[in-house]
Amino acid sequence: MYLRRKIDNFLISWKSSNDKKPLIVKGARQIGKTKSIVHFAETYENFVNINFALETKFMTICEDGYEAEQIIKNISRIDPSKKFVEKKTLILFDEIQDYPEIATSLKSFCMNAKYDVICSGSMLGINYKKIQSNSVGYKTEYAMQSFDFEEFLWAKGYEEEIANDLLIHMKSAEPFNQTTINTFNELFLDYCILGGMPSVIVSFVEKGTFEGSLALQQELINDYKEDIKKYVDGIDKTRVLNVFNHIPVQLAKENKKFQISKVAHGAKFKDYWGCIEWLSDAGMINICHCLHAPNLPLKGNYEDDKYKIYFRDTGLLVANLDEETQDDLRSNKNMNIYKGALYENVIAEALSKQGYELFYYKRENSTLEEDFFVRTKKSLVPLEVKATNGKAKSLSTLIKSESYPDITTGIKLVQGNIGFENNIHTFPYFCAFLLKRYLADAEF
């Protein structure tokens, strides 16, 4: 079963571009990169698929240099069944983290312009730094993630128009009717429990139940850990695994700030920050930085050693929960467990999938704390995630205080309906995937 993804439209636009360059599709493992590219390849007369992880014999194709024609010749020598038809062929170099040298050839493929080329890779880690430095200016990049909520709605049979309908209500501040609230709350809870990994989503769509979803999620966790062991060198292997294993534990705290000192005895920031960056580069986690102060600009306005860590796919967090919590979550759909960590993680995921960098704020020696910040063209917008539809004291303080001139309005995400009061816009959680579209036209 192939389920529609947002990359589909991007690939069609890329193919029709007059200034087409070789494309690198990057992202974590098993998020559907290869499946989407292979599906797209059906639009070509001819398709050549080389997987460097499974077909190591192709790891010599650059031994005579990086010219496109020489590489084509070497591929044909290794496997004469692979044909190359000029202007009608798509070449996929898959799992390039195992053979990053191929990236150097992209300049030649770009200038040659006889074949369309896509490179794909997961768990790139530090190898991607080498890939990025090659063929600068001669490639296009696309960062892919697991299913977002909109893609999940497509998988459930909803058309694109549903997002527009939801957005109209957000812009007009008109509450949803109870049928809409009930329907989309239920869908969003299902999505929170499942996460966005394609294998889990496909299983759920086919069966219509959660049967087998936990086993699939736990299998993905184990695969990620095996990849850490495979791709991380030396002592950092243990450190990266320690960080990965401690994310659920630290999210369970009231203060969700990630503390290196809790990861291992004597652990220090300088020894572990590279490991955290590796997990981020590999597409496993989102890092949420603590702002020095809730003011613009955001970049450069944060403390290096204060941050939260969220899983980039909430399904990975769910798979790490204990057995009793799993039962409560899947049987009763009780999202209020785990001290709000599930809500925060899924909103962090939604923001990241819209292209936002993540920032929070915690004032020292104070209860003033804000979960996330986004921005419009003119202002900084604090965003609070509430497990219940209660008062947002920190949000109100930031809006009213003269100390924060960039903040005039806030957003509260709740298990409730649309509302507006005291310059705070309230939206249901299931609207989170639309925030960037909503803010693009906001007047505040």
Side-chain angles (χ1 to χ4, degrees):
M1 174 187 285
Y2 183 76
L3 297 177
R4 179 187 173 197
R5 303 298 304 276
K6 290 184 175 179
I7 193 176
D8 297 344
N9 288 340
F10 176 86
L11 291 172
I12 295 297
S13 297
W14 171 77
K15 182 181 180 181
S16 61
S17 172
N18 293 326
D19 187 29
K20 182 165 62 259
K21 300 175 182 178
L23 173 65
I24 293 182
V25 179
K26 57 183 181 177
R29 67 172 293 153
Q30 299 195 34
I31 57 170
K33 297 185 302 298
T34 301
K35 193 160 190 175
S36 293
I37 296 167
V38 171
H39 176 75
F40 165 67
E42 294 175 4
T43 66
Y44 285 80
E45 181 178 304
N46 191 52
F47 178 44
V48 176
N49 186 356
I50 295 174
N51 185 310
F52 291 116
L54 300 178
E55 302 171 290
T56 56
K57 62 186 178 183
F58 288 106
M59 288 188 179
T60 60
I61 59 177
C62 294
E63 64 180 2
D64 296 318
Y66 299 103
E67 292 302 314
E69 292 298 339
Q70 188 59 56
I71 290 171
I72 296 298
K73 188 180 295 184
N74 283 338
I75 293 172
S76 299
R77 285 172 179 166
I78 294 169
D79 184 353
S81 70
K82 295 189 184 300
K83 306 300 181 184
F84 296 87
V85 183
E86 291 185 14
K87 303 298 182 179
K88 296 181 179 180
T89 297
L90 174 65
I91 304 171
L92 170 60
F93 294 119
D94 206 359
E95 304 295 357
I96 62 170
Q97 74 279 356
D98 284 6
Y99 192 61
E101 288 87 345
I102 194 64
T104 305
S105 71
L106 297 185
K107 178 179 179 179
S108 178
F109 275 107
C110 182
M111 298 177 70
N112 179 281
K114 294 178 180 179
Y115 313 100
D116 289 354
V117 177
I118 298 179
C119 295
S120 178
S122 57
M123 302 299 298
L124 295 174
I126 57 173
N127 279 345
Y128 194 69
K129 292 178 173 60
K130 179 177 181 180
I131 293 169
Q132 280 182 312
S133 66
N134 294 331
S135 300
V136 174
Y138 294 94
K139 66 181 185 295
T140 301
E141 295 184 2
Y142 184 93
M144 190 174 178
Q145 297 196 48
S146 60
F147 277 69
D148 67 9
F149 185 55
E150 185 171 19
E151 291 172 314
F152 176 71
L153 291 178
W154 296 344
K156 292 290 290 180
Y158 290 87
E159 300 295 335
E160 283 191 24
E161 289 73 18
I162 195 64
N164 294 329
D165 290 344
L166 299 178
L167 188 58
I168 288 170
H169 278 264
M170 294 173 70
K171 290 181 176 181
S172 65
E174 179 185 351
F176 297 112
N177 63 38
Q178 199 56 49
T179 298
T180 300
I181 287 288
N182 293 343
T183 300
F184 285 93
N185 275 342
E186 184 76 12
L187 287 164
F188 188 72
L189 284 172
D190 288 345
Y191 174 74
C192 290
I193 295 168
L194 294 165
M197 289 302 194
S199 61
V200 181
I201 299 294
V202 169
S203 175
F204 180 74
V205 170
E206 290 179 337
K207 297 175 181 177
T209 70
F210 292 113
E211 178 190 350
S213 60
L214 176 58
L216 287 171
Q217 289 169 329
Q218 291 176 333
E219 183 180 318
L220 287 165
I221 287 282
N222 291 333
D223 287 345
Y224 274 32
K225 289 181 179 179
E226 285 302 313
D227 279 345
I228 290 171
K229 294 174 184 177
K230 177 180 178 180
Y231 292 109
V232 182
D233 296 326
I235 191 172
D236 280 347
K237 194 188 308 286
T238 300
R239 289 174 176 168
V240 172
L241 281 169
N242 281 344
V243 171
F244 187 82
N245 290 332
H246 272 78
I247 296 170
V249 178
Q250 301 221 23
L251 280 176
K253 302 181 303 181
E254 285 292 345
N255 173 17
K256 297 177 179 61
K257 184 181 78 171
F258 196 86
Q259 294 177 284
I260 289 294
S261 60
K262 304 292 185 182
V263 171
H265 179 70
K268 296 180 180 178
F269 174 80
K270 65 181 179 65
D271 296 324
Y272 273 82
W273 180 246
C275 303
I276 294 169
E277 285 186 314
W278 191 94
L279 287 169
S280 177
D281 289 342
M284 294 186 188
I285 65 169
N286 285 316
I287 304 171
C288 184
H289 294 281
C290 182
L291 294 172
H292 286 296
N295 298 313
L296 293 173
L298 292 174
K299 287 190 176 181
N301 176 28
Y302 60 84
E303 303 180 53
D304 291 333
D305 59 349
K306 290 183 180 179
Y307 49 90
K308 298 178 183 179
I309 296 178
Y310 299 102
F311 282 110
R312 199 164 290 187
D313 187 276
T314 303
L316 302 182
L317 173 59
V318 170
N320 277 285
L321 302 180
D322 59 70
E323 188 173 333
E324 292 76 19
T325 304
Q326 287 280 357
D327 290 340
D328 195 16
L329 183 61
R330 293 173 193 275
S331 300
N332 304 317
K333 296 189 178 180
N334 177 17
M335 285 287 288
N336 291 320
I337 55 175
Y338 212 59
K339 299 182 179 178
L342 287 171
Y343 282 122
E344 276 195 38
N345 200 100
V346 77
I347 299 305
E349 179 185 343
L351 294 174
S352 172
K353 287 176 176 177
Q354 292 170 77
Y356 285 112
E357 292 186 52
L358 302 181
F359 300 96
Y360 78 102
Y361 178 65
K362 174 71 171 74
R363 190 161 70 188
E364 293 294 336
N365 304 316
S366 170
T367 58
L368 181 62
E369 182 172 6
E370 202 53 73
D371 298 320
F372 301 106
F373 289 84
V374 291
R375 64 165 303 172
T376 66
K377 296 175 183 177
K378 299 184 290 186
S379 64
L380 183 63
V381 183
L383 193 158
E384 190 155 328
V385 182
K386 300 290 289 185
T388 59
N389 194 0
K391 292 184 178 180
K393 294 181 180 179
S394 292
L395 202 53
S396 297
T397 299
L398 290 171
I399 293 169
K400 294 175 182 177
S401 176
E402 294 181 358
S403 301
Y404 312 114
D406 295 322
I407 298 173
T408 60
T409 309
I411 292 174
K412 182 171 64 170
L413 295 174
V414 301
Q415 184 77 23
N417 211 326
I418 287 177
F420 179 72
E421 186 178 11
N422 298 324
N423 284 356
I424 297 175
H425 296 266
T426 300
F427 300 120
Y429 298 120
F430 62 74
C431 290
F433 78 97
L434 290 165
L435 283 173
K436 193 159 193 173
R437 278 172 261 185
Y438 169 75
L439 291 171
D441 297 324
E443 295 298 325
F444 50 85

